[in-house]
PDB file of all heavy atoms in Angstrom:
ATOM      1  N   THR A 142     111.598 107.098  75.278  1.00 91.00           N
ATOM      2  CA  THR A 142     111.781 107.139  76.704  1.00 91.00           C
ATOM      3  C   THR A 142     112.067 108.573  77.186  1.00 91.00           C
ATOM      4  O   THR A 142     112.010 108.779  78.441  1.00 91.00           O
ATOM      5  CB  THR A 142     112.933 106.244  77.105  1.00 91.00           C
ATOM      6  OG1 THR A 142     114.193 106.816  76.526  1.00 91.00           O
ATOM      7  CG2 THR A 142     112.752 104.796  76.769  1.00 91.00           C
ATOM      8  N   LYS A 143     112.236 109.513  76.302  1.00 91.00           N
ATOM      9  CA  LYS A 143     112.558 110.886  76.708  1.00 91.00           C
ATOM     10  C   LYS A 143     111.387 111.790  76.380  1.00 91.00           C
ATOM     11  O   LYS A 143     111.582 113.037  76.380  1.00 91.00           O
ATOM     12  CB  LYS A 143     113.877 111.412  76.013  1.00 91.00           C
ATOM     13  CG  LYS A 143     115.115 110.672  76.479  1.00 91.00           C
ATOM     14  CD  LYS A 143     116.328 111.177  75.854  1.00 91.00           C
ATOM     15  CE  LYS A 143     117.546 110.471  76.381  1.00 91.00           C
ATOM     16  NZ  LYS A 143     118.804 110.946  75.802  1.00 91.00           N
ATOM     17  N   LEU A 144     110.207 111.323  76.192  1.00 92.00           N
ATOM     18  CA  LEU A 144     109.020 112.179  75.850  1.00 92.00           C
ATOM     19  C   LEU A 144     108.739 113.006  77.113  1.00 92.00           C
ATOM     20  O   LEU A 144     108.840 112.587  78.226  1.00 92.00           O
ATOM     21  CB  LEU A 144     107.887 111.231  75.448  1.00 92.00           C
ATOM     22  CG  LEU A 144     107.922 110.583  74.158  1.00 92.00           C
ATOM     23  CD1 LEU A 144     106.709 109.744  73.864  1.00 92.00           C
ATOM     24  CD2 LEU A 144     108.110 111.566  72.974  1.00 92.00           C
ATOM     25  N   LYS A 145     108.233 114.159  76.810  1.00 93.00           N
ATOM     26  CA  LYS A 145     107.716 115.035  77.891  1.00 93.00           C
ATOM     27  C   LYS A 145     106.219 115.315  77.651  1.00 93.00           C
ATOM     28  O   LYS A 145     105.718 115.371  76.556  1.00 93.00           O
ATOM     29  CB  LYS A 145     108.392 116.444  77.813  1.00 93.00           C
ATOM     30  CG  LYS A 145     109.963 116.272  78.129  1.00 93.00           C
ATOM     31  CD  LYS A 145     110.613 117.660  78.027  1.00 93.00           C
ATOM     32  CE  LYS A 145     112.055 117.583  78.384  1.00 93.00           C
ATOM     33  NZ  LYS A 145     112.967 117.490  77.269  1.00 93.00           N
ATOM     34  N   PHE A 146     105.566 115.303  78.783  1.00 92.00           N
ATOM     35  CA  PHE A 146     104.021 115.507  78.696  1.00 92.00           C
ATOM     36  C   PHE A 146     103.680 116.769  79.382  1.00 92.00           C
ATOM     37  O   PHE A 146     103.882 116.897  80.570  1.00 92.00           O
ATOM     38  CB  PHE A 146     103.346 114.209  79.359  1.00 92.00           C
ATOM     39  CG  PHE A 146     103.674 112.988  78.526  1.00 92.00           C
ATOM     40  CD1 PHE A 146     104.811 112.155  78.896  1.00 92.00           C
ATOM     41  CD2 PHE A 146     102.845 112.599  77.523  1.00 92.00           C
ATOM     42  CE1 PHE A 146     105.073 111.031  78.227  1.00 92.00           C
ATOM     43  CE2 PHE A 146     103.128 111.433  76.785  1.00 92.00           C
ATOM     44  CZ  PHE A 146     104.217 110.627  77.201  1.00 92.00           C
ATOM     45  N   ASP A 147     103.067 117.684  78.599  1.00 86.00           N
ATOM     46  CA  ASP A 147     102.812 118.998  79.131  1.00 86.00           C
ATOM     47  C   ASP A 147     101.362 119.028  79.587  1.00 86.00           C
ATOM     48  O   ASP A 147     100.418 118.920  78.781  1.00 86.00           O
ATOM     49  CB  ASP A 147     103.028 119.999  78.062  1.00 86.00           C
ATOM     50  CG  ASP A 147     102.903 121.451  78.492  1.00 86.00           C
ATOM     51  OD1 ASP A 147     102.432 121.704  79.692  1.00 86.00           O
ATOM     52  OD2 ASP A 147     103.206 122.404  77.659  1.00 86.00           O
ATOM     53  N   PRO A 148     101.088 119.188  80.853  1.00 88.00           N
ATOM     54  CA  PRO A 148      99.702 119.243  81.406  1.00 88.00           C
ATOM     55  C   PRO A 148      98.861 120.356  80.765  1.00 88.00           C
ATOM     56  O   PRO A 148      97.615 120.352  80.817  1.00 88.00           O
ATOM     57  CB  PRO A 148      99.895 119.516  82.930  1.00 88.00           C
ATOM     58  CG  PRO A 148     101.259 119.211  83.259  1.00 88.00           C
ATOM     59  CD  PRO A 148     102.090 119.407  81.970  1.00 88.00           C
ATOM     60  N   LYS A 149      99.484 121.415  80.156  1.00 88.00           N
ATOM     61  CA  LYS A 149      98.714 122.402  79.466  1.00 88.00           C
ATOM     62  C   LYS A 149      97.946 121.903  78.276  1.00 88.00           C
ATOM     63  O   LYS A 149      96.907 122.356  77.844  1.00 88.00           O
ATOM     64  CB  LYS A 149      99.634 123.481  78.928  1.00 88.00           C
ATOM     65  CG  LYS A 149     100.199 124.431  80.034  1.00 88.00           C
ATOM     66  CD  LYS A 149     100.922 125.630  79.544  1.00 88.00           C
ATOM     67  CE  LYS A 149     102.280 125.235  79.035  1.00 88.00           C
ATOM     68  NZ  LYS A 149     103.190 126.254  78.554  1.00 88.00           N
ATOM     69  N   ASN A 150      98.347 120.727  77.691  1.00 87.00           N
ATOM     70  CA  ASN A 150      97.657 120.057  76.642  1.00 87.00           C
ATOM     71  C   ASN A 150      96.998 118.774  77.091  1.00 87.00           C
ATOM     72  O   ASN A 150      97.351 117.642  76.593  1.00 87.00           O
ATOM     73  CB  ASN A 150      98.662 119.819  75.487  1.00 87.00           C
ATOM     74  CG  ASN A 150      99.224 121.105  74.961  1.00 87.00           C
ATOM     75  OD1 ASN A 150      98.576 122.111  74.879  1.00 87.00           O
ATOM     76  ND2 ASN A 150     100.504 121.028  74.611  1.00 87.00           N
ATOM     77  N   THR A 151      96.052 118.944  77.961  1.00 94.00           N
ATOM     78  CA  THR A 151      95.385 117.773  78.564  1.00 94.00           C
ATOM     79  C   THR A 151      93.975 117.606  77.960  1.00 94.00           C
ATOM     80  O   THR A 151      93.105 118.497  78.038  1.00 94.00           O
ATOM     81  CB  THR A 151      95.267 117.866  80.118  1.00 94.00           C
ATOM     82  OG1 THR A 151      96.582 117.928  80.586  1.00 94.00           O
ATOM     83  CG2 THR A 151      94.537 116.681  80.681  1.00 94.00           C
ATOM     84  N   LEU A 152      93.767 116.500  77.310  1.00 95.00           N
ATOM     85  CA  LEU A 152      92.405 116.207  76.715  1.00 95.00           C
ATOM     86  C   LEU A 152      91.610 115.551  77.790  1.00 95.00           C
ATOM     87  O   LEU A 152      92.110 114.567  78.397  1.00 95.00           O
ATOM     88  CB  LEU A 152      92.533 115.326  75.532  1.00 95.00           C
ATOM     89  CG  LEU A 152      93.119 115.984  74.248  1.00 95.00           C
ATOM     90  CD1 LEU A 152      94.637 115.983  74.319  1.00 95.00           C
ATOM     91  CD2 LEU A 152      92.644 115.203  73.001  1.00 95.00           C
ATOM     92  N   THR A 153      90.408 116.000  77.983  1.00 96.00           N
ATOM     93  CA  THR A 153      89.524 115.407  79.046  1.00 96.00           C
ATOM     94  C   THR A 153      88.424 114.596  78.364  1.00 96.00           C
ATOM     95  O   THR A 153      87.989 114.821  77.250  1.00 96.00           O
ATOM     96  CB  THR A 153      88.828 116.524  79.941  1.00 96.00           C
ATOM     97  OG1 THR A 153      88.152 117.443  79.059  1.00 96.00           O
ATOM     98  CG2 THR A 153      89.932 117.234  80.746  1.00 96.00           C
TER      99      THR A 153
END
Side-chain angles (χ1 to χ4, degrees):
T142 63
K143 294 183 180 179
L144 291 176
K145 295 180 177 97
F146 296 90
D147 187 352
K149 287 188 280 184
N150 297 324
T151 299
L152 287 83
T153 55

